[in-house]
Amino acid sequence: MNPTDWPSRLLVVDVEGNGTSQPDLVEVAALPLRTGSPDVTTARAWLIRPPRPVTEHATRVHGIT
């Protein structure tokens, strides 16, 4: 698949969890793609304080405490 054939606007979203069963969000990131290229000028990321602590394993994976 050629990225230039994609729709002219897409939004890529990534999330990170706290590592618990039924995980709580700790980070959400969004990266717009315009004509197949990332638009880093409008990319955003948000940290979220979860109701339960981040596990040690999750911290090793994504580095968020």
Side-chain angles (χ1 to χ4, degrees), residues 31-32 34 38-44:
L31 174 66
R34 304 200 193 288
D39 181 0
V40 295
T41 63
T42 59
R44 298 286 181 265

Side-chain angles (χ1 to χ4, degrees), residues 16-26 50 52-59 62:
E16 302 295 345
N18 65 345
T20 60
S21 179
Q22 297 183 345
D24 302 306
L25 289 176
V26 295
R52 295 176 287 176
V54 178
T55 65
E56 290 181 25
H57 174 73
T59 297
H62 53 53

Side-chain angles (χ1 to χ4, degrees), residues 3-5 9-10 14 16 18 20 39-40 46 48 58-59 63 65:
T4 58
D5 294 335
R9 297 178 73 179
L10 290 174
D14 180 48
E16 302 295 345
N18 65 345
T20 60
D39 181 0
V40 295
W46 300 269
I48 301 164
T59 297
T65 59

